[in-house]
Amino acid sequence: MKISAEIKHWLAVRWRAFRIWQQKPHEVAPLSEQSHICSSCATQFTGNYCPRCGQSAAIGRFSFKKAILLFLDVWGIGNRSMFRSIRDLMLRPGYMIRDYLRGMQSAYFPPFKMFFLLAAFSLVMDQGLGLAPGDKQVADKWQNIEQLEKEEVAETNTRKTDLSDEEHMMINGKEITSPVAKACVKFVKVMNTLRRKNPAVFSFLTLVLFSIPMFFFLRSNPKIPDLRFSEFIVALVYTSNAYTLYSILVKLPYLAIFDIFAILIVLVALKQLTGYRKRRLLGYMTLSFILFLILLIIVISAGVYIIYLTS
């Protein structure tokens, strides 16, 4: 089936308009020249917000939309910037991150707060909301903490490693006698406990560790030649938020197609942020992953050594 010239032209125009919108920074509402009397403190002013108490000049009667925002504000997500951040992270992630780093911070939801909120929501989705066909089985699987402990032990003991006894550690039915081996087992147990009980903290620490080698390659890029490490951490947190958003969509019924978007969004975000070509960026990411594995081995070795000294 061939696409007609009119449809091709229409798609090309729409795609061009979308690309222009992607690269265009968020525009703040123009300053109102109308005089207002603040309904909260009765101050007369000109502009969008009261200079005395900060209340919006557009305040009015409660609407259904405002009631929803107040409800969401209980969890700290009632701010309008949250929805704008979700939209831009899914459609123009790299451009949005660059705008945020350049100072447009009031227009977007704080990256670290969003990171932990999305991590918590993703955990809830993993445990099941009854939205997907398999959610009932998932909810039964994670019904209580005892079942969770059993599943975690079964997952981490793929080599039949018994971590239940601190004094008599067993591997394949044989007791561990080497102090170094005991330190390794204790380190694995500590990391597994952190991953299970604080998945957001564990993910953040992994992200920071991965950012070290990647910053080495991306610290001087065409779009931000003088990128700082602190700024790069913020950029990676926002990129992780974009990945989590698509990962959450994958958990919904009939939206498994977004699985590939969850993987590609990382590449898209970094490409838009840095301005590197795809091939070069893929090369940098591959080298960063190799260095990350080496760095991970060093960190694990250091952790085992510390436990060995203190035990």
Side-chain angles (χ1 to χ4, degrees):
M1 180 179 178
K2 294 184 179 181
I3 302 177
S4 63
E6 291 80 5
I7 296 178
K8 286 184 179 179
H9 176 71
W10 183 86
L11 291 175
V13 171
R14 290 291 179 268
W15 175 250
R16 196 178 306 116
F18 175 71
R19 292 290 294 161
I20 293 173
W21 172 83
Q22 270 191 316
Q23 301 178 44
K24 188 177 180 181
H26 169 69
E27 293 183 353
V28 181
L31 190 64
S32 172
E33 298 180 358
Q34 185 178 356
S35 180
H36 306 276
I37 297 179
C38 180
S39 56
S40 180
C41 62
T43 300
Q44 186 171 359
F45 66 96
T46 300
N48 297 339
Y49 295 92
C50 174
R52 184 178 179 185
C53 67
Q55 182 165 281
S56 173
I59 197 75
R61 298 184 64 180
F62 277 94
S63 62
F64 186 70
K65 178 181 178 181
K66 189 179 294 185
I68 293 178
L69 292 176
L70 286 174
F71 173 75
L72 293 176
D73 195 50
V74 176
W75 292 275
I77 57 176
N79 195 310
R80 291 182 181 178
S81 63
M82 179 66 166
F83 303 102
R84 184 185 303 117
S85 301
I86 291 175
R87 180 200 65 186
D88 285 9
L89 280 176
M90 297 184 72
L91 299 178
R92 53 182 299 269
Y95 299 121
M96 175 212 140
I97 296 170
R98 204 193 312 159
D99 293 340
Y100 185 86
L101 295 179
R102 286 175 176 171
M104 192 178 288
Q105 298 178 7
S106 63
Y108 297 106
F109 202 75
F112 295 97
K113 186 176 182 180
M114 189 178 189
F115 178 86
F116 288 103
L117 283 173
L118 288 177
F121 186 70
S122 180
L123 182 62
V124 172
M125 293 291 292
D126 285 337
Q127 295 182 358
L129 290 175
L131 296 176
D135 276 351
K136 185 179 184 302
Q137 290 80 0
V138 175
D140 293 339
K141 180 180 178 182
W142 305 105
Q143 188 173 6
N144 53 63
I145 189 63
E146 294 180 358
Q147 183 66 20
L148 176 60
E149 294 286 346
K150 292 178 182 178
E151 292 292 334
E152 288 294 337
V153 170
E155 178 184 345
T156 56
N157 292 347
T158 54
R159 298 182 181 177
K160 300 180 180 180
T161 303
D162 185 8
L163 304 179
S164 60
D165 193 343
E166 292 284 344
E167 299 296 330
H168 303 283
M169 297 180 182
M170 308 289 291
I171 294 182
N172 294 330
K174 297 180 180 180
E175 184 178 352
I176 304 174
T177 57
S178 171
V180 177
K182 285 186 177 181
C184 291
V185 172
K186 287 182 180 180
F187 180 81
V188 171
K189 186 175 182 180
V190 170
M191 290 295 101
N192 185 58
T193 302
L194 177 64
R195 181 184 65 84
R196 186 180 68 247
K197 294 186 177 180
N198 299 283
V201 175
F202 183 83
S203 299
F204 179 72
L205 293 177
T206 305
L207 185 68
V208 172
L209 192 64
F210 183 72
S211 68
I212 297 174
M214 181 169 282
F215 176 71
F216 176 78
F217 296 107
L218 304 183
R219 67 188 187 280
S220 180
N221 57 79
K223 296 298 182 181
I224 312 178
D226 57 343
L227 183 65
R228 298 178 180 178
F229 183 67
S230 55
E231 295 173 332
F232 188 64
I233 290 289
V234 172
L236 278 190
V237 169
Y238 262 137
T239 303
S240 177
N241 293 340
Y243 175 84
T244 305
L245 285 169
Y246 278 100
S247 298
I248 290 174
L249 288 178
V250 172
K251 298 180 178 72
L252 297 176
Y254 312 113
L255 291 179
I257 189 175
F258 285 99
D259 197 9
I260 189 171
F261 287 98
I263 299 173
L264 292 177
I265 197 65
V266 176
L267 179 63
V268 171
L270 292 177
K271 181 181 181 299
Q272 293 177 355
L273 174 68
T274 62
Y276 283 126
R277 294 184 178 275
K278 295 176 183 178
R279 249 182 224 182
R280 188 172 184 178
L281 188 58
L282 279 172
Y284 284 157
M285 292 180 68
T286 303
L287 292 173
S288 299
F289 184 72
I290 295 172
L291 293 177
F292 166 73
L293 292 179
I294 297 174
L295 188 60
L296 187 62
I297 293 173
I298 296 174
V299 171
I300 292 174
S301 301
V304 171
Y305 182 69
I306 292 173
I307 293 177
Y308 171 73
L309 291 179
T310 55
S311 60

